[in-house]
Amino acid sequence: MNKLHLNIKVRLAESFFSSFITFMFLPFMAIYFAKYFGETLAGILVAVITVVGLVSSLYGGQLADKLGRKKIMLLSEVLRFVALFFLIFCNSPWQTWPNLTFVLMILLNIGSGLALPAAQAMVVDVSTPDNRKLIYRLEYWSSNLALAIGVGLGGVLFSNHLFELLIIAAAGSLLSFIIVKFLIKETFFTEFKERVHLRKLYYDYKITWHDKLFMIYILASILALSLEFQVMNYTGVRLSNSTDQFSLWSTDRFQFSLGGVELFGLLRSENAVIVILFSLTVGLLSRIIKDRWLLILGVLINAVGYYFIAIGNNAWLLLAMMIPATVGELMFYPVKQTYLAEIAPAESRSVYMAVNSLVGRAATMLGGAAITIGHWLPVWLMGLLFLGTGVMAAWLFVIFMNRMEERAAPLDSTTSPTIMQ
């Protein structure tokens, strides 16, 4: 840690604090929109917000390479603070303006989208191949810790104290701006010579669209990673609409139960805590199970866990099924990333990585669609759709790995004569 660049240390601290603030309310906005606009429109609104964030992220990548990392990060923090500042007044004890809240959530997501590629590029600028794995492990760890604390707190306070949560979030955004302004050093210096426009994105990323093997990988990744977003968005709305209390402990003299929103927050926190506590332990499975089977089994175990979460109405069942759902993700995610490094050609590696970074956005969009579809379909059928999504992802990964082996076969045959000599 002592040898890391100051920017990285500051970024890790700022990222944890910013993520903690965001996770206090952002995962619950699907419930908010469903309450004021209905479940059908809520899914569409979540998808729109996600698309805007996706486009702003692509555009932010171009801007960061033209204007510098720090300038874009500062612009992002300004947009986020403005959005959060006005969100306070749109959700105060005196009035609630859901329509303007939606517009401000778009602005908030634009700010977040602009910052992501700039922050990631800045980390690469000041890191080395030797310490990047440590940096990314620390980011992954801190992000899940922020998720566990933030979502847990949000689950308790969101329903009745959204006003106070937004005040805290706005204050945190202002603090993030101050940190970036005075502690982060610019790492990329260039003159703005080329006009930045979205049309150029088509030519920059066209090469990846013609790589069929890579597209199979991307589609399988989207389906696998979207399962969590779909099930948790759907389950969050489903639980929030329930008027029942979910009992966790009951005796003749004592009963401990949770409302739907509180139970949803507990599930999200459990997911993050499992990642924090067992990510390294699950990683040891790679020593005894081949990557191929670790990937397939991980996706299927993840799907089965989320299937029961989607249809279950017992608190203990939901909490128990979060264990295989999360462990499955811990099994397949590192293997999936390893295959990505193998498939990306050296001369186009950054382009491939940039396209892969959009997988999360696409997965979030499918998560929003689940809210809309779930309004019209019964619970049991939604559960089957989620399970089918996981099975389809596993099947596509099988096709992908088979074609990877076919691609490597000619290389093996050409090298074997040399070995025999």
Side-chain angles (χ1 to χ4, degrees):
M1 281 291 292
N2 293 332
K3 296 181 180 180
L4 296 180
H5 192 281
L6 177 62
N7 275 15
I8 294 177
K9 296 178 182 178
V10 175
R11 167 62 185 165
L12 288 172
E14 185 272 336
S15 176
F16 170 81
F17 188 72
S18 177
S19 297
F20 164 68
I21 295 298
T22 301
F23 286 135
M24 283 198 303
F25 72 94
L26 194 59
F28 303 95
M29 291 309 296
I31 299 174
Y32 178 95
F33 290 137
K35 175 182 178 181
Y36 289 104
F37 298 104
E39 295 176 14
T40 301
L41 186 55
I44 297 174
L45 296 180
V46 171
V48 169
I49 292 173
T50 304
V51 170
V52 172
L54 187 153
V55 175
S56 67
S57 181
L58 292 174
Y59 202 58
Q62 285 189 323
L63 287 173
D65 284 338
K66 300 296 185 297
L67 302 178
R69 322 306 192 199
K70 183 174 180 177
K71 290 180 180 179
I72 304 306
M73 293 173 69
L74 286 174
L75 174 62
S76 166
E77 292 300 338
V78 169
L79 293 177
R80 293 173 63 184
F81 174 74
V82 170
L84 288 166
F85 180 79
F86 285 103
L87 276 171
I88 295 172
F89 296 97
C90 292
N91 296 275
S92 71
W94 305 280
Q95 72 268 320
T96 302
W97 294 333
N99 292 333
L100 187 54
T101 294
F102 168 68
V103 175
L104 291 171
M105 286 300 299
I106 289 180
L107 180 62
L108 181 67
N109 225 38
I110 289 175
S112 298
L114 287 174
L116 184 60
Q120 291 177 340
M122 183 205 70
V123 170
V124 175
D125 291 340
V126 298
S127 63
T128 66
D130 293 332
N131 62 20
R132 274 178 199 147
K133 289 184 179 179
L134 171 62
I135 294 168
Y136 293 138
R137 282 199 300 267
L138 290 172
E139 283 189 336
Y140 186 66
W141 176 278
S142 65
S143 175
N144 280 279
L145 184 60
L147 173 63
I149 301 173
V151 172
L153 186 61
V156 175
L157 300 178
F158 182 84
S159 296
N160 301 314
H161 300 280
L162 178 59
F163 178 68
E164 290 81 0
L165 283 179
L166 291 172
I167 291 177
I168 297 173
S173 179
L174 180 60
L175 180 59
S176 294
F177 173 84
I178 294 173
I179 291 175
V180 174
K181 174 68 176 177
F182 295 103
L183 297 180
I184 292 289
K185 305 296 182 182
E186 181 59 79
T187 62
F188 188 84
F189 301 91
T190 185
E191 295 183 2
F192 184 79
K193 296 180 179 179
E194 181 182 356
R195 182 183 176 187
V196 180
H197 52 79
L198 293 177
R199 183 183 301 176
K200 189 175 183 297
L201 293 176
Y202 173 80
Y203 300 101
D204 289 343
Y205 299 114
K206 184 178 179 180
I207 183 176
T208 63
W209 304 343
H210 294 284
D211 188 335
K212 294 182 180 179
L213 183 60
F214 182 59
M215 286 296 102
I216 294 175
Y217 171 88
I218 290 295
L219 180 57
S221 298
I222 290 174
L223 291 177
L225 295 179
S226 72
L227 196 55
E228 177 181 356
F229 292 98
Q230 292 184 65
V231 173
M232 295 312 288
N233 277 351
Y234 171 74
T235 302
V237 173
R238 181 173 68 87
L239 292 178
S240 69
N241 288 338
S242 175
T243 57
D244 298 331
Q245 289 289 308
F246 296 87
S247 177
L248 286 174
W249 189 265
S250 180
T251 64
D252 294 337
R253 298 182 179 181
F254 176 78
Q255 180 174 347
F256 179 64
S257 59
L258 296 174
V261 175
E262 289 79 9
L263 178 58
F264 174 68
L266 184 59
L267 285 170
R268 295 304 301 262
S269 295
E270 180 191 6
N271 174 267
V273 169
I274 293 173
V275 171
I276 293 168
L277 295 179
F278 298 105
S279 57
L280 297 179
T281 303
V282 174
L284 296 177
L285 291 174
S286 61
R287 298 181 180 180
I288 58 177
I289 302 177
K290 291 183 178 180
D291 284 351
R292 179 187 185 92
W293 295 110
L294 202 61
L295 176 58
I296 297 172
L297 288 175
V299 172
L300 293 177
I301 292 173
N302 176 262
V304 170
Y306 278 126
Y307 165 76
F308 284 104
I309 290 175
I311 66 173
N313 284 310
N314 179 276
W316 283 112
L317 173 65
L318 297 177
L319 293 170
M321 287 299 102
M322 182 56 75
I323 297 175
T326 308
V327 170
E329 182 178 352
L330 291 175
M331 290 171 62
F332 79 75
Y333 186 79
V335 179
K336 185 183 77 68
Q337 293 300 99
T338 301
Y339 277 115
L340 173 64
E342 294 179 7
I343 193 176
E347 65 275 11
S348 304
R349 187 165 295 154
S350 61
V351 173
Y352 274 67
M353 297 299 174
V355 173
N356 182 70
S357 69
L358 302 180
V359 168
R361 297 285 185 178
T364 305
M365 290 176 59
L366 290 177
I371 303 174
T372 301
I373 297 173
H375 177 68
W376 300 102
L377 298 182
V379 173
W380 66 268
L381 184 54
M382 288 298 295
L384 290 179
L385 286 177
F386 295 139
L387 185 61
T389 298
V391 173
M392 177 64 71
W395 179 66
L396 287 173
F397 274 126
V398 170
I399 295 176
F400 164 77
M401 289 183 289
N402 289 341
R403 294 194 179 184
M404 280 282 289
E405 293 175 357
E406 293 173 1
R407 175 183 286 189
L411 296 176
D412 294 338
S413 62
T414 58
T415 56
S416 58
T418 305
I419 296 174
M420 291 296 294
Q421 293 176 359

